[in-house]
Each structure stands twice: as C-alpha cells, then as structure tokens.
Amino acid sequence: IPPAAKKIKWCFFFSLFLLQVLSSSFAEQTPCLNGFDSEVFTFKVDRPYLHRGRKLGRVLFNDCAGRGYNIYSSTDQHFQVDIDGTVELKTQLTLHKVQEFSVHAWDSEGMRYTASVRVENVDKTNHHYAQLEETKNRSINVPLLKLSRTKRSWVIPPLNVPENQRGPFPKEIAVLKTDYVKETKMIYSIRGEGADQPPMGLFTINKNNGSLYVTKPLDREIKDKYVLMAHAVAADGEVTEKPMEIIITVIDANDNKPVFTQNPFLGSVPEASPQEFEFMIVNATDADEPETDNADVRYTIISQDPPQPNPNMFIINSITGGIRVNSDGLDRENYPEYTLLIQAADMMGNGLVTTGTAVITVTDSNDHAPQFEKTTYTASVPENKVGAVVVKLPVTDGDEPQSPAWMAKFKISGVNNGGFFSISTGPNKQEGIITAPLDFEQNNKYTLLVITENEVPFAKPLPTSTATVIVNVQDVNEAPVFDPVEQIISKPEDLEVGTELTVYTATDPDTARAQTVTYRISSEDRAGWVSVDRDTGLIRVKSSMDRESPFVKDDKYKVLILAVDNVPATGTGTLVIELEDVNDNAPVVEEREIKVCNKDSVPVSLSATDKDGPRFLSSKWTNFSSKQNQVLFPMFPAIFKKDVFQTD
C-alpha cells in the first residue's frame, strides 16, 4: 500500500475511533430507557419443517433495573420465550413462508412492552429470488436486497417497517444490491408514493450504495402500505436493471385507544329477568390493525350505580360486550335505573384503556301480585234487590300503574252457592265488585272465597291473594204470589148471579213470618161482574155477564185479583174468563126505511145483523100475514102482499 494511502487509511480509522468514543460518551450521558432493542426481530430458517425445541434466536430487552432476566410471553402458541429472551419452538411447525407474532415483556415496575417477531423461511437454493441477508456493520434488522446474475428480474418479499419509530432519522430500512456492482458502478433511484409522489420525500435512497431510508415515523392508521419502484442504472449508462417493485408494509404499533361507538349506551331489561339473560351489547372499535392484539378489545364492568341490591347485578362478556343479568333482585319499583361504568382495553384487556357508560332502564314485569286490603269482608244486602252491590273489594299492586301487570281481575272460587253471585272489575281496575239477587227464604247467609290476579300472567310464580266474603241476606217483606199468575177458565155468559166460578189463591213467600193473606177485586174492574171471598179466594158471579159487552175482548173478560198480606204487601193475579156464547140477541134489519114505487117497482134487498156469534145466524126469512102487511104498510097493499122478516 503506498504511504499516502496508508496515511489516509490510518486517518480514517482514527476518525472512526474518535466518533465511537464520542458516541460512547454521549450514550453515557443519555438516560436509560426500558424497552426492546428493536421494534421487529427477524429470524431466518432454511427449511420449512421445524422441530420442537429448535432455538431461533434472541429478543433483546433492556431493563434499566439491571435484572439478569426478564419475563416474556408469546401471542403464538407454537413459540415460547425463555427468561433470557431465547425464542424456541414449543411444537412442531411447518413454515411455508413467513410467521409473525408478538412478544410481550415486563420491566421491574410492571410496565408491559411489545415487539414483533418475524420468522422467515429462506430457501438459499432459489437464486432467482432476492435474498434477505444480515450484513455486517449494519443494524440487525436491515435486510440486503440482492439480485443474482442468473436472473435479472428483481423479486423480493415486502419490507416491514414499524410505525411510530423513534429517531434519529433518516433510518435505514434496507439495502438494494445488484451483481452488476462487481463490474461497474451502479446508480440507484426510487419512484412511487412516498418517494417522488405524495407524500414525497418519505423514503429516500443512497444513489451510490442502494441504502433505502425512511425519513420520519410512519403511521399505519394513515397508510398501511407503500409501493415503490427501484431502479439501478450503470453510471456509464450501458447497463440498466429492470425496475424492481418494493412493497413497504407498515407494522402496527399499539398507538390507538379503543373508542366506544356511542356513549352512553342505552338499554333496558325487564325486572325479574333470569340470570344469564343478555339484553344489550356495548361495542368499541380500535383503529389499530385488525386481528392483532393491538385491536383485540376486551370489556370489563368497573362500577355499578346504585350498588343495590347486589353490587354485581350485571356481568359483561369480555369479548362480545354483551351485558347479562348476573343476580336475582331486579326491582323496578325500588331501583328503576342503573348506570354501569364500562372499560374497554386493547391487547386482550392489558393495553390502552378507555371508559364509557351504559344506562340501563329496568322495565316493569308482572312480579307483584295484587293484594286485598283485608282478608275478610262482611256485608249485608236486602233480598231480591236486582243487581244489588253486595261488597267492593279494593286491592293494591306494586307494578306500574295502568299497565296490564297492575290491572286486577277477580273470580269467585268454588261452587258460588248456586250461581247467585257475580263479580266484576271496577272502573279503576283495582277493585272487585260482587253483585247478586238473593232470596232470604232460600238462605240468609253465604260465604264466598274471592281470588285476584292480573290481566297478564305473572312473570314468575307468585302466591295469589284471597279474601273471604260473608254475605248476610236481610229479610224483606215480599208480596203474596199467585200461582199461576194468570188463570184461565171457560164459562157460559148467561150464568146466574151467585154461581161459583173458581178458587184463585196466592201464597206468601215470607215463610218465616206468620201472615194472613186476604183477597179483593181491583178497583179497575169497571164491569163488576164477579166477587171474591176475602178469606178463601172463591170467585162468584156478582152480576149478569154479557159476551157482547164492550168490556169483553175476543170473548175474554179479565179481572185483576189482589192478594194482600199483613204488612201490607200486595200481589196480583189475573183471572181470565172465556165467555161461551148463548143466543140471547134477536137479529136486527139494518134498513130502517126503504122507498118503492107502485109502478115498475124493482126488488129491494134487506140485510140483518145479530150480536150473537156466527153459529146463531141463518138465512131463513118468514112472511108476514096480510093483516100484518096492512098494519105495517097500509099505503102499499098491492105491493106488500107478503111481508118478510128474517129469524134466527
């Protein structure tokens, strides 16, 4: 090596050494920060079939407390992380291309940190694909994108860049390399979104060595993927590589809290609902990458207001957000509303936290049976009072007023003592009304059992309320009763005065009283044809009866008979006398005056009527004698040689 070159070389190494010393000095002054050494750890394997117990590499975690070990957990059941950070397989695994999962670590203060692990199957025999190799003097996670001379097409897997990386920037994320670099100097460039298209300048490339940089933190929630085209051209312009597509995938970090889709959530639950009854769902979204722990939201109930009658009246499904009844005792009348403070946390409940509320209205169910105000009622009612209200039975109900669960209905249990009683619900829907027409002579006391329920079934088994009603029937003087109420007899109209027609009597229903019944004819009997014996009820002919009298209708003569007891109370009966016709009326010629001429006279028709029935009327006419003619018609002897008269 020429002396000048040696001098330059030593100066270079001295400058490098000085920079390292300065960097070390600066690092010593920088405060210690807990955390993984990298956002993403990449481990490569050279075969797809991996056996249990194979160690893939280590994840490095810095705990400023100086512990020699750390506690790790893996989100993939195929892998485990030992306390020294070694990642090894727990089960046999076939790795076709790439397997990604998260590793959690906790520092001495209990704070959790997360890094991504990427296991890649790198088949070194396929030289026509670009290979990812770890290079010396570079960051452990900066891949080398190398193109083999055997195939000029650049084909590479996507690059993964964690979002929200800490500086300094620009930060190298990959190196582009082509085999032509061994023959000539290559100039590298990139095109596409994030390079020469918006957002411009986000990615840059060192045109001389192919180092690809990101110039500021990425945000997956703004854009989760960038597509660039890489170009390699010889400095002299004689060699040009075909453009290579580079896909940069932004790896998600847990930088978004869950957000409830509404706040508060409003729900309702019927009181007396059974345990495990789900009645509403709360939901939160997370802007982080779906199907990852960063967006895996779990729900928890933090508090319940009011805490009565049980502080854990409700339970929430941590995964779905469904809220269910957890305890008996929901009672709208005492606790009509609950407010739950709900927590939603990502990372399966161990990450970022947000809170919201669920307001639950307890709706009415028929969980209160109507109750009689008293268990025994005593009532008195006069007998034979149609529709008489025997007693009113008020009830109370703890359910919501005017609802079907509050409205009462009633029934009389048992035989109902011959069906004399009926019960209905009063207009206010909180009262049973018993009515009945009663007869003291049948029974002077009744005992009823009344049951009350609601218009809708009970929400759960409830004891029904009953009341005993004792009804005392007050005796009332009742009028004598004729049997039958209307008695019909047939008699000839020409019966002699004093003839017995019939005995028509009444009985007094007041059997408990010793009363005498007497009889008389109603004053409305204008004909006065009959009389009645005051004590026996014997009916006699008082004066001559006449079928043809205007007091007779359709051959029937009606007499109102009165029966009077001691109080007095009067009963009535009707005696109907069907009068049989007798021939007691002569026919009468209707034409009282006629005119005829002595010459050319024409016949004259005469008509006759008879008050008796049709059976006594005939068409037989009788001639008068000449002497009679001369007496009746002296002026016309020649014409009326024979006078005629109809006879019955």
Side-chain angles (χ1 to χ4, degrees):
I1 301 173
K6 289 183 178 180
K7 183 177 180 180
I8 294 173
K9 182 178 180 180
W10 282 108
C11 289
F12 173 77
F13 280 114
F14 177 78
S15 299
L16 181 61
F17 174 75
L18 182 60
L19 288 172
Q20 289 177 342
V21 171
L22 291 175
S23 298
S24 300
S25 175
F26 179 77
E28 289 175 359
Q29 297 175 3
T30 302
C32 178
L33 297 176
N34 295 337
F36 284 97
D37 285 2
S38 176
E39 298 282 351
V40 180
F41 293 89
T42 302
F43 305 114
K44 297 171 288 298
V45 295
D46 57 0
R47 59 177 60 88
Y49 303 105
L50 305 178
H51 297 285
R52 179 176 178 271
R54 175 165 179 171
K55 293 178 172 55
L56 303 176
R58 291 181 61 192
V59 294
L60 303 179
F61 180 79
N62 181 32
D63 184 358
C64 296
R67 293 189 303 180
Y69 66 91
N70 288 291
I71 300 175
Y72 301 92
S73 69
S74 168
T75 62
D76 192 321
Q77 62 181 357
H78 296 97
F79 302 92
Q80 69 179 18
V81 185
D82 298 334
I83 60 175
D84 63 351
T86 300
V87 179
E88 64 176 282
L89 279 165
K90 291 172 59 178
T91 60
Q92 183 175 331
L93 176 66
T94 300
L95 183 67
H96 295 290
K97 188 175 180 182
V98 178
Q99 187 98 351
E100 293 185 1
F101 59 95
S102 297
V103 173
H104 305 306
W106 285 263
D107 62 17
S108 58
E109 297 180 354
M111 182 66 71
R112 194 180 76 167
Y113 300 82
T114 303
S116 296
V117 174
R118 181 182 177 89
V119 182
E120 299 179 353
N121 177 19
V122 180
D123 188 353
K124 293 184 178 180
T125 61
N126 295 332
H127 297 293
H128 58 284
Y129 288 107
Q131 300 179 14
L132 303 181
E133 296 183 354
E134 193 174 324
T135 60
K136 296 181 180 180
N137 300 323
R138 295 185 182 277
S139 170
I140 188 172
N141 293 308
V142 177
L144 173 66
L145 307 182
K146 186 176 180 181
L147 180 64
S148 171
R149 288 293 300 275
T150 59
K151 189 172 180 66
R152 297 301 181 185
S153 177
W154 294 15
V155 181
I156 64 169
L159 294 175
N160 295 311
V161 179
E163 68 173 333
N164 303 326
Q165 281 185 310
R166 291 176 289 183
F169 290 99
K171 184 182 289 288
E172 189 179 55
I173 59 176
V175 176
L176 304 184
K177 188 75 66 178
T178 173
D179 284 348
Y180 281 122
V181 76
K182 298 176 182 179
E183 303 169 2
T184 183
K185 180 177 176 58
M186 301 297 291
I187 303 300
Y188 301 93
S189 64
I190 55 174
R191 301 283 186 272
E193 51 187 351
D196 61 343
Q197 299 175 15
M200 291 184 291
L202 185 58
F203 300 100
T204 62
I205 192 169
N206 187 313
K207 66 178 183 178
N208 296 316
N209 61 20
S211 294
L212 183 63
Y213 297 92
V214 62
T215 62
K216 62 181 180 180
L218 302 179
D219 189 344
R220 189 200 69 84
E221 286 68 51
I222 295 178
K223 191 170 181 60
D224 62 353
K225 184 173 70 175
Y226 297 87
V227 179
L228 302 175
M229 296 301 295
H231 302 268
V233 180
D236 56 12
E238 294 184 359
V239 179
T240 301
E241 283 280 12
K242 290 184 178 181
M244 176 177 67
E245 183 181 73
I246 301 175
I247 299 176
I248 300 174
T249 301
V250 184
I251 299 177
D252 187 42
N254 190 23
D255 58 344
N256 290 279
K257 287 184 178 182
V259 177
F260 281 109
T261 55
Q262 65 185 76
N263 195 21
F265 289 88
L266 303 179
S268 62
V269 58
E271 63 178 339
S273 294
Q275 293 186 31
E276 298 300 320
F277 173 68
E278 183 173 300
F279 58 90
M280 68 179 297
I281 295 176
V282 299
N283 183 52
T285 59
D286 196 303
D288 291 317
E289 186 173 2
E291 307 301 327
T292 67
D293 285 355
N294 294 339
D296 190 345
V297 179
R298 302 298 170 91
Y299 303 92
T300 308
I301 296 177
I302 304 301
S303 64
Q304 168 192 305
D305 181 38
Q308 291 85 17
N310 185 323
N312 299 307
M313 291 298 297
F314 306 97
I315 191 173
I316 191 168
N317 186 308
S318 63
I319 298 175
T320 66
I323 299 178
R324 306 189 303 271
V325 176
N326 188 51
S327 176
D328 294 331
L330 286 174
D331 190 346
R332 183 199 64 84
E333 289 70 37
N334 292 315
Y335 309 105
E337 185 177 278
Y338 289 90
T339 300
L340 304 182
L341 182 62
I342 309 293
Q343 172 183 289
D346 57 20
M347 300 299 291
M348 301 174 65
N350 297 309
L352 302 177
V353 172
T354 191
T355 57
T357 56
V359 178
I360 301 169
T361 300
V362 182
T363 60
D364 190 39
S365 295
N366 193 12
D367 61 343
H368 293 83
Q371 300 292 319
F372 286 107
E373 292 183 357
K374 298 190 299 183
T375 58
T376 303
Y377 294 83
T378 301
S380 297
V381 62
E383 65 172 336
N384 295 334
K385 189 174 181 181
V386 177
V389 175
V390 178
V391 67
K392 295 183 178 181
L393 312 175
V395 297
T396 58
D397 196 306
D399 292 311
E400 185 175 1
Q402 307 306 321
S403 70
W406 176 85
M407 297 178 180
K409 64 179 183 178
F410 304 85
K411 64 180 179 180
I412 299 175
S413 178
V415 180
N416 190 15
N417 292 281
F420 292 121
F421 299 91
S422 61
I423 189 166
S424 60
T425 302
N428 64 359
K429 300 298 183 179
Q430 290 279 281
E431 186 178 60
I433 302 175
I434 296 178
T435 56
L438 302 171
D439 190 345
F440 178 86
E441 281 66 43
Q442 292 187 9
N443 198 346
N444 62 0
K445 185 176 182 179
Y446 298 86
T447 300
L448 310 177
L449 182 65
V450 181
I451 300 173
T452 180
E453 296 174 336
N454 291 119
E455 290 189 357
V456 296
F458 296 141
K460 59 183 180 180
L462 295 173
T464 55
S465 179
T466 60
T468 300
V469 180
I470 300 173
V471 182
N472 295 310
V473 182
Q474 298 173 342
D475 187 24
V476 175
N477 182 55
E478 299 173 78
V481 178
F482 282 94
D483 186 21
V485 176
E486 184 177 84
Q487 181 169 315
I488 301 174
I489 61 175
S490 295
K491 298 293 181 179
E493 64 175 325
D494 59 349
L495 290 178
E496 294 182 0
V497 174
T499 303
E500 294 182 1
L501 297 175
T502 186
V503 175
Y504 190 22
T505 58
T507 58
D508 195 325
D510 296 312
T511 56
R513 304 185 182 196
Q515 297 195 94
T516 302
V517 178
T518 58
Y519 304 93
R520 65 172 180 264
I521 303 297
S522 171
S523 60
E524 296 179 2
D525 180 25
R526 292 179 294 170
W529 289 345
V530 296
S531 64
V532 62
D533 187 278
R534 180 179 184 277
D535 299 318
T536 64
L538 175 63
I539 309 294
R540 297 175 182 270
V541 177
K542 180 181 178 182
S543 61
S544 297
M545 298 182 292
D546 185 0
R547 188 190 70 85
E548 290 73 40
S549 169
F551 299 114
V552 177
K553 301 296 181 183
D554 299 327
D555 299 339
K556 296 178 181 178
Y557 172 60
K558 294 183 179 181
V559 182
L560 188 64
I561 310 299
L562 306 180
V564 183
D565 63 13
N566 295 14
V567 173
T570 301
T572 61
T574 301
L575 176 64
V576 179
I577 305 174
E578 293 181 343
L579 294 175
E580 300 173 358
D581 191 25
V582 297
N583 190 17
D584 57 348
N585 290 280
V588 176
V589 178
E590 294 291 331
E591 291 76 9
R592 306 308 301 166
E593 178 179 344
I594 60 172
K595 293 181 180 182
V596 295
C597 294
N598 59 353
K599 290 184 179 181
D600 302 322
S601 63
V602 295
V604 177
S605 296
L606 299 178
S607 60
T609 60
D610 195 316
K611 293 182 180 179
D612 293 321
R615 67 189 185 92
F616 294 111
L617 181 63
S618 70
S619 60
K620 181 179 179 182
W621 293 79
T622 304
N623 295 327
F624 287 101
S625 64
S626 299
K627 185 179 181 179
Q628 289 176 322
N629 291 339
Q630 294 175 356
V631 172
L632 293 175
F633 306 105
M635 296 177 66
F636 307 102
I639 299 175
F640 291 95
K641 295 180 179 179
K642 291 185 179 179
D643 295 312
V644 294
F645 192 85
Q646 186 183 30
T647 60
D648 55 14

